[in-house]
Each structure stands twice: as C-alpha cells, then as structure tokens.
C-alpha cells in the first residue's frame, strides 16, 4: 500500500509537470531526500535546489524548471526503488522521450540554421561570433541556445531563444529554418521581438 | 515626441492614433527595415513577407502625402 502511494506520487509529479496545473505546491519526488519541484500559479516549475548529479545549471534554466532528462532520471530512480517495474519504466521513458525530443529539435535547428545564410552573414561577414570558424561550431552554438536559452513565442509560428547575448529565431516557413545572431541591443532586442 | 499611442481594436482591424511625427517614424522604420534586412532573413526577423512590408510602406507614403503639408 505504501509503495502504491509513492508510485502515485511519482505519476502525479509527471502529470503536473506536463500539464502545468495547480496552485503553488511543493512536491517531493519519491524519496524526500531528492530535489523538489515547486509549481507556481503560472504553471512554471523550479527546483528548490540543484540536483547534485546533474551538474551546474544556469539561472534561467533553474527558472524554467527541471530539464526533462533530469525528471526522467529522478522518476526512474524513485520508481525502481519502489519496485514498480514496467509501469514505472513507461513513465520514465515518456519523460526521456520528451528530453530526446528537445535535444533533437535543438540539433535540427542548429543543423538547418548553420547550413544557411546566417553563417555567411553573421559569422563570416560581420564576425559576431569570435572563435567560431566552421558551420559545425556554429551549429553547436545554436543548439546550446535552443536547448538552454529563454524562449519567447513570436507571431507567424516563429520562436525566439536568448542565451549569453545570442538570439536564435526559428521560422518553420523560411528555407533556412531561421537565423542566429548577436543583436547590438542585446536583451532589449530580444524583448522587442514580436 | 509623445511616448504613447492610442488605439482601439475591432476584430482584425486596429485603429491607431499617432502624431504626425510618430507617423513619419513608423513609415521610416518600415522603409529602413526593407532596406537593411536581406530577403532571406526578412520574414524570420519580422514575421511578415517583404512584399507585404512594401505594400505597407506605400500605404503609409500615400497617407503622409494626403495629410500633409509637413513643416
């Protein structure tokens, strides 16, 4: 019975994380010694502390909440301790799939944008990315911004990401898939995007 | 120059009330965007096609001509 209750708690954490619902709550992930997710009125999630197994996080990443792969690992660990086998694995695998989806989307963005005009204009001609010499290096920069950056949905199906002075704009309607550059007005430019 | 813009919306239509000075700035901004941003990057950065921006520039230009004179 106790195990069943703990498993239900783990499932509830997944549901709340996915649906972003509920008033401000603090929930433990299985064993209370693990990191705790705090969900506010807006549905945003934060950790009460950094998961010591997952390395350092930027402040913006902490504001956005736990990366899906961390959530998956925590769930998997919690569920395996309780001995729920396949059902627990299914929940953890779902979160892992989300993590893989995020990673693949970032990789695709990096590949598409770095293969287009943005490299020639913003890397080669204007030199906005000192130290970046190849399209592959440019793709890595874009991938990191999309994976870890702040996201703003824009008009016409576009999305903008901001991290460390770099803006990436994804545009599914553009042949290049978007662009990436270092705006002169920095974060104000990012906030001014519509 | 005033820092505010009055507006009301009715469905897809938005009616703006701007000063003549603000209107010139809007028209100039559209014109500069068309000039400064290359075709491949325009729709990504502006969320609209360059041809649509040209139409807006022409419409604003006509409006400015109609409601002149300017000092």
């Amino acid at each position: 019975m106790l195990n069943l209750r703990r498993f239900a708690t783990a499932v509830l954490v997944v549901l709340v994380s996915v649906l972003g619902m509920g008033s401000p709550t603090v929930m433990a992930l299985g064993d209370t010694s693990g990191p705790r997710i705090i969900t506010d009125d807006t549905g945003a999630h934060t950790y009460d502390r950094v998961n010591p197994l997952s390395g350092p996080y930027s402040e913006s990443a902490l504001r956005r909440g736990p990366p899906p792969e961390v959530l998956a690992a925590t769930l998997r660990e919690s569920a395996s301790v309780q001995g729920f086998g396949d059902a627990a694995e299914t929940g953890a695998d779902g979160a892992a799939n989300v993590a893989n989806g995020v990673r693949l989307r970032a990789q695709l963005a990096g590949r598409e944008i770095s293969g287009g005009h943005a490299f020639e204009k913003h890397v080669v001609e204007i030199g906005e990315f000192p130290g970046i010499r190849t399209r592959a290096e440019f793709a890595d920069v874009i991938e990191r911004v999309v994976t870890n950056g702040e996201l703003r949905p824009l008009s016409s199906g576009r999305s903008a990401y901001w991290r460390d002075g770099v803006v990436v704009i994804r545009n599914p309607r553009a042949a290049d898939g978007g662009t990436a550059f270092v705006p002169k007005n920095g974060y104000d430019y990012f906030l001014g995007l519509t | 120059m005033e820092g505010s813009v009055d507006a009301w919306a009715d469905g897809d239509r938005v009616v703006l009330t701007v000063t003549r000075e603000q209107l010139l700035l809007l028209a100039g901004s559209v014109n500069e965007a068309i000039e400064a941003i290359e075709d491949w990057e325009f729709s990504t950065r502006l969320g609209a096609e360059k041809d649509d921006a040209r139409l807006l520039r022409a419409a604003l230009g006509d409006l400015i001509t109609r409601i002149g004179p300017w000092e």
Side-chain angles (χ1 to χ4, degrees), chain A residues 11 25 29 31 36 55 59 70 86 94 98 104 116 127 136 161 174:
Chain A
V11 171
T25 52
L29 292 173
D31 188 332
R36 291 146 64 93
E59 189 176 336
V70 174
D86 291 344
V98 171
L104 287 172
Y161 302 84

Coordinates of all heavy atoms in Angstrom, one line a residue, chain A residues 11 25 29 31 36 55 59 70 86 94 98 104 116 127 136 161 174:
Chain A
V11 N 3.7 9.5 -10.3 CA 2.9 9.8 -11.5 C 2.3 11.2 -11.5 O 2.2 11.9 -12.5 CB 1.8 8.7 -11.6 CG1 0.8 9.1 -12.7 CG2 2.4 7.3 -11.9
T25 N 2.5 24.7 -5.1 CA 2.7 23.5 -4.3 C 4.1 23.1 -4.3 O 4.9 23.5 -5.2 CB 1.9 22.3 -4.9 OG1 2.2 22.2 -6.3 CG2 0.4 22.5 -4.8
L29 N 9.8 14.2 -5.0 CA 9.9 13.1 -6.0 C 10.3 11.8 -5.2 O 11.5 11.6 -4.9 CB 11.0 13.5 -7.0 CG 10.7 14.7 -7.9 CD1 11.9 15.0 -8.7 CD2 9.5 14.3 -8.7
D31 N 11.5 9.5 -2.8 CA 12.3 9.7 -1.6 C 12.5 11.2 -1.3 O 12.9 12.0 -2.2 CB 13.7 9.1 -1.8 CG 14.5 9.1 -0.5 OD1 14.3 10.0 0.3 OD2 15.3 8.2 -0.4
R36 N 13.3 18.9 -5.0 CA 11.8 19.1 -5.0 C 11.4 20.1 -6.1 O 12.1 21.1 -6.3 CB 11.4 19.6 -3.7 CG 11.5 18.6 -2.6 CD 11.9 19.2 -1.3 NE 10.9 20.1 -0.7 CZ 9.9 19.7 0.1 NH1 9.9 18.5 0.5 NH2 9.1 20.6 0.6
G55 N 24.9 18.3 -12.5 CA 25.8 19.3 -12.9 C 25.2 20.7 -12.7 O 24.0 20.8 -12.4
E59 N 21.0 30.2 -14.3 CA 19.9 30.7 -13.5 C 18.6 30.6 -14.3 O 17.5 30.3 -13.8 CB 20.1 32.2 -13.2 CG 19.1 32.8 -12.2 CD 19.5 34.2 -11.8 OE1 20.7 34.5 -11.9 OE2 18.6 34.9 -11.4
V70 N 16.4 15.1 -16.5 CA 16.6 15.0 -15.0 C 15.3 14.5 -14.4 O 15.4 13.6 -13.5 CB 16.9 16.4 -14.4 CG1 17.0 16.4 -12.9 CG2 18.3 16.9 -15.0
D86 N 7.7 -2.4 -15.0 CA 7.4 -1.9 -16.3 C 6.6 -0.6 -16.3 O 6.9 0.3 -17.1 CB 6.6 -2.9 -17.0 CG 7.4 -4.2 -17.4 OD1 8.6 -4.1 -17.3 OD2 6.8 -5.2 -17.7
G94 N 8.7 8.0 -20.9 CA 8.0 9.1 -21.5 C 8.7 10.4 -21.3 O 8.8 11.2 -22.3
V98 N 10.6 13.0 -24.1 CA 10.5 14.4 -24.1 C 11.9 15.0 -24.2 O 12.1 15.9 -25.0 CB 9.7 15.0 -22.9 CG1 9.8 16.5 -22.9 CG2 8.3 14.5 -22.9
L104 N 16.6 16.7 -30.0 CA 16.6 16.5 -31.5 C 16.1 17.8 -32.1 O 16.6 18.2 -33.2 CB 15.6 15.4 -31.8 CG 16.1 14.0 -31.6 CD1 15.0 13.0 -31.8 CD2 17.3 13.7 -32.5
G116 N 22.6 27.5 -43.5 CA 22.0 28.6 -44.4 C 22.8 29.9 -44.4 O 24.0 29.9 -44.2
G127 N 31.2 38.9 -38.3 CA 32.1 38.5 -37.2 C 31.5 38.6 -35.8 O 32.1 39.0 -34.9
A136 N 29.9 23.7 -38.3 CA 29.6 22.7 -37.2 C 29.7 23.4 -35.9 O 28.9 23.2 -35.0 CB 30.6 21.6 -37.3
Y161 N 14.8 32.4 -29.1 CA 15.6 31.9 -28.0 C 16.7 32.9 -27.7 O 17.3 33.5 -28.6 CB 16.2 30.6 -28.2 CG 15.2 29.5 -28.6 CD1 14.8 29.4 -29.9 CD2 14.7 28.6 -27.7 CE1 13.8 28.4 -30.3 CE2 13.7 27.7 -28.0 CZ 13.3 27.6 -29.3 OH 12.4 26.6 -29.7
A174 N 10.7 29.5 -43.3 CA 11.8 30.0 -44.0 C 12.6 28.8 -44.6 O 12.7 27.8 -43.9 CB 12.7 30.9 -43.1

